[in-house]
Amino acid sequence: MGTRTILAVVSGTQDVLALQAALLEAPFPGQQDVLAAAETVMVRAESPAAARRIGQALLELDLMAPAEQAGGLVVIDTVYDGEDLAEVGQLTGLGADGVVAAHTGQVWTVAFAGFAPGFGYMVGENQALEVPRRSSPRTAVPAGSVALAGNYSAVYPRKSPGGWQLIGRTGAKMWDLDRSEPALASPGHRVQFRAVRDVVRLAGQDSQQDDSTPAASRQTVPETTSGLRVLSAGIHSLIQDLGRQGHSALGVSAAGALDRASLRRANRLVGNAPSAAAIETVSGGLRLQAVGDQVLAVAGAPSALTVVTPSASPSETDTDATEPGDAEARQRTVPAAAPFALLDGEILTIGVPDAGFRSYVAVRGGVDAPPVLGSRSTDTMSGIGPEPLAANQLLPAGGAAESGVVGSPEIQPDYPGEDVTLLDIILGPRADWFDQAAIDSLCAQDWTIKPESNRVGMRLQGTPLERSRTGELPSEGTVAGAIQMPPEGLPVLFLADHPITGGYPVIGVVVDHQLDLAAQVPIGGSIRFRIAPEPAAPAGSSEETSHEQTPERKASN
């Protein structure tokens, strides 16, 4: 599954649990994460070489039945008025009332977690409610929706895209990081659904957020004597680091900067640790004011960087003071990919990129946001981490500097412009769901990035591909770079905030060291896929390999 991930296909739930238990009890060298699903176990490795070694070792592994999990019973009050209840009644032949009776009349067991934090795949005691997913997923499923797909039932912990059949809703908090056990129902727990006329939601509970972010991260950042004030957040600006690894079993993706090389470069230039938190912003428009003297660097999409030095420091609440045209203000430009001083009261403005899409602003010491599960990154899919930046927000500078000196200016790679961006892929793990004509079409045409794209995934427009196989694919793990194919035949290229499991076949995966390049293709830009030559990556290469080391970037129109 790409260059750093192995997907082990086994015969059923017992083998899934046995393999998962074996990998957790005795991890292979280089093993980073393990994710169990319906009929597969996904193993993430630290490098392509480690992935190849793990793949060979898995073939020789003897599986033994794991110890039985004795989880407690969780009762979930549910109002059965879902949009798909009548259709599920027709699909099963039970009618709406029969669906409710079958759903509440059995005990469900959480077999594994996935898709999003708090989303547990529950297996029932019978197959009476087996139904397919929707042919086209909804772009937004309300938080608390009780749903069915295949042999599973689940509750959506927050508003998110989804293709399951909706039969009801609940006010239960499925995920809350302020609890000692964030997931209300984790693998091994038994669940009983109870029909009620109405649900009770605790005062202050936000259906959009559902407490995915702990209270400490949702509070307004306190006043600080050193850091940055956001005067304008631009189109979309987030705090990102290198992500939170190893939490797939909780349904939590890694998230983190989409262009990892640019984040590392910006941090390196100001003397920070590579994983220090910085600002990721798209398409320019970000305006920042120094609170105290700061050292900054901007890497990524090349943009005009303008610094305005006011004649007098504006008040802390005057967000419109000292525009570049003010008569008494002094203006200068600073280079990209080089450290520079932003003195107390000075304002940095990032212009619209000449090429590329995402820029990264590092401040010496790093952005001091509250960490969640070991990372300060914002996960837009799950809602974990700091909120998107907003005007007048204060960002304290922390203690992430690891060098006493700043770095020397660096040369940045070429970024996507008007030409078509070429991305190498590894076919599979579900390329056998498509015939050769569909695979040829995938690689022969230019795909346009649709406006609906975001950090979860790039939605692509082109000539649809047809599957050669019908039926449903049991949910299995996915990775950043996976090219998922919904029934409509238009690919979705997963990025860092992707759901960790999915039920649509993945025809191929972009090689890991080109994901930074993919992240810089703007909305409306074009990409073309190419089957990667062998070997896909140098033996022993690590996740730090990036597009700055890849000589071939683009295919001309």
Side-chain angles (χ1 to χ4, degrees):
M1 195 173 192
T3 54
R4 291 177 48 199
T5 305
I6 298 297
L7 192 70
V9 183
V10 295
S11 59
T13 302
Q14 289 304 311
D15 280 354
V16 165
L17 297 176
L19 179 53
Q20 180 189 42
L23 292 170
L24 294 178
E25 182 177 349
F28 289 115
Q31 176 182 312
Q32 280 191 329
D33 204 359
V34 175
L35 177 62
E39 298 175 358
T40 60
V41 177
M42 190 179 77
V43 187
R44 182 76 167 167
E46 65 182 8
S47 69
R52 289 191 291 270
R53 290 193 298 268
I54 291 172
Q56 290 297 320
L58 286 173
L59 296 175
E60 303 171 2
L61 193 64
D62 290 328
L63 299 182
M64 299 180 63
E68 291 290 330
Q69 290 181 296
L73 178 66
V74 177
V75 178
I76 298 179
D77 289 341
T78 304
V79 177
Y80 287 93
D81 59 357
E83 295 181 40
D84 303 320
L85 180 60
E87 183 177 352
V88 171
Q90 293 178 350
L91 290 170
T92 59
L94 298 174
D97 291 342
V99 169
V100 176
H103 198 250
T104 58
Q106 58 183 309
V107 174
W108 299 79
T109 301
V110 182
F112 55 92
F115 181 70
F119 190 100
Y121 289 77
M122 306 177 196
V123 178
E125 296 172 321
N126 56 60
Q127 308 299 313
L129 295 177
E130 182 175 355
V131 291
R133 294 178 181 84
R134 292 170 53 85
S135 60
S136 178
R138 289 181 171 92
T139 57
V141 174
S145 295
V146 178
L148 297 169
N151 295 322
Y152 301 101
S153 185
V155 179
Y156 283 80
R158 72 187 305 267
K159 182 179 179 181
S160 62
W164 287 37
Q165 308 280 2
L166 308 184
I167 61 172
R169 54 191 169 90
T170 179
K173 290 185 180 179
M174 303 305 296
W175 177 262
D176 184 357
L177 277 169
D178 290 332
R179 295 190 299 232
S180 58
E181 295 289 338
L184 180 63
S186 56
H189 275 107
R190 295 172 297 125
V191 175
Q192 178 80 61
F193 290 93
R194 181 169 59 192
V196 296
R197 293 182 179 274
D198 199 3
V199 296
V200 176
R201 189 176 294 277
L202 297 179
Q205 182 177 345
D206 184 345
S207 62
Q208 297 291 327
Q209 183 171 287
D210 279 309
D211 287 347
S212 296
T213 307
S217 297
R218 297 194 297 272
Q219 296 172 352
T220 303
V221 177
E223 291 288 334
T224 179
T225 57
S226 179
L228 299 170
R229 183 191 308 281
V230 180
L231 301 186
S232 173
I235 296 177
H236 196 217
S237 299
L238 305 169
I239 296 173
Q240 296 292 345
D241 55 20
L242 290 179
R244 47 183 66 85
Q245 305 291 337
H247 298 291
S248 293
L250 292 176
V252 178
S253 65
L258 295 190
D259 184 347
R260 300 158 296 181
S262 291
L263 174 78
R264 290 190 183 98
R265 181 180 296 110
N267 276 324
R268 185 164 59 239
L269 288 166
V270 298
N272 286 346
S275 59
I279 301 172
E280 177 184 273
T281 188
V282 299
S283 296
L286 177 65
R287 295 177 65 236
L288 301 169
Q289 184 178 44
V291 179
D293 295 346
Q294 306 297 332
V295 176
L296 273 65
V298 181
S303 309
L305 306 178
T306 304
V307 174
V308 170
T309 304
S311 57
S313 297
S315 68
E316 291 190 353
T317 58
D318 184 5
T319 61
D320 295 323
T322 60
E323 290 289 347
D326 287 355
E328 297 182 349
R330 299 192 309 275
Q331 178 175 305
R332 72 181 191 276
T333 59
V334 295
F340 61 91
L342 194 70
L343 303 181
D344 185 34
E346 290 188 328
I347 297 170
L348 168 68
T349 299
I350 298 179
V352 177
D354 299 322
F357 194 48
R358 291 179 168 88
S359 299
Y360 293 83
V361 183
V363 58
R364 183 169 174 81
V367 177
D368 190 15
V372 179
L373 296 178
S375 169
R376 293 177 169 87
S377 63
T378 299
D379 184 341
T380 60
M381 174 72 181
S382 67
I384 289 178
E387 294 289 325
L389 300 192
N392 207 36
Q393 181 177 357
L394 289 170
L395 303 177
E402 67 174 11
S403 173
V405 297
V406 298
S408 300
E410 298 188 15
I411 297 176
Q412 295 203 114
D414 294 332
Y415 286 94
E418 296 181 357
D419 292 337
V420 178
T421 300
L422 185 64
L423 298 176
D424 286 343
I425 65 172
I426 305 295
L427 288 179
R430 300 301 176 186
D432 57 348
W433 282 58
F434 304 86
D435 59 22
Q436 189 60 47
I439 293 174
D440 292 342
S441 179
L442 173 72
C443 297
Q445 60 178 300
D446 299 339
W447 297 95
T448 302
I449 313 303
K450 298 171 65 175
E452 298 87 350
S453 302
N454 51 33
R455 283 179 49 90
V456 175
M458 299 165 66
R459 294 180 179 269
L460 307 180
Q461 184 65 52
T463 303
L465 308 184
E466 293 186 5
R467 297 179 184 178
S468 59
R469 181 183 299 187
T470 59
E472 291 286 310
L473 177 69
S475 292
E476 59 190 24
T478 63
V479 295
I483 306 168
Q484 196 179 64
M485 297 296 303
E488 63 184 359
L490 295 177
V492 178
L493 173 56
F494 279 167
L495 298 179
D497 293 357
H498 66 90
I500 65 166
T501 60
Y504 299 128
V506 171
I507 191 172
V509 181
V510 174
V511 296
D512 186 77
H513 61 278
Q514 287 191 352
L515 288 179
D516 296 337
L517 178 61
Q520 291 292 353
V521 182
I523 301 296
S526 297
I527 61 176
R528 182 180 298 175
F529 298 115
R530 180 184 68 175
I531 298 176
E534 295 291 343
S541 64
S542 72
E543 69 274 13
E544 295 195 7
T545 305
S546 67
H547 65 78
E548 62 182 318
Q549 299 166 309
T550 305
E552 186 168 9
R553 314 247 196 289
K554 302 174 183 176
S556 59
N557 285 319

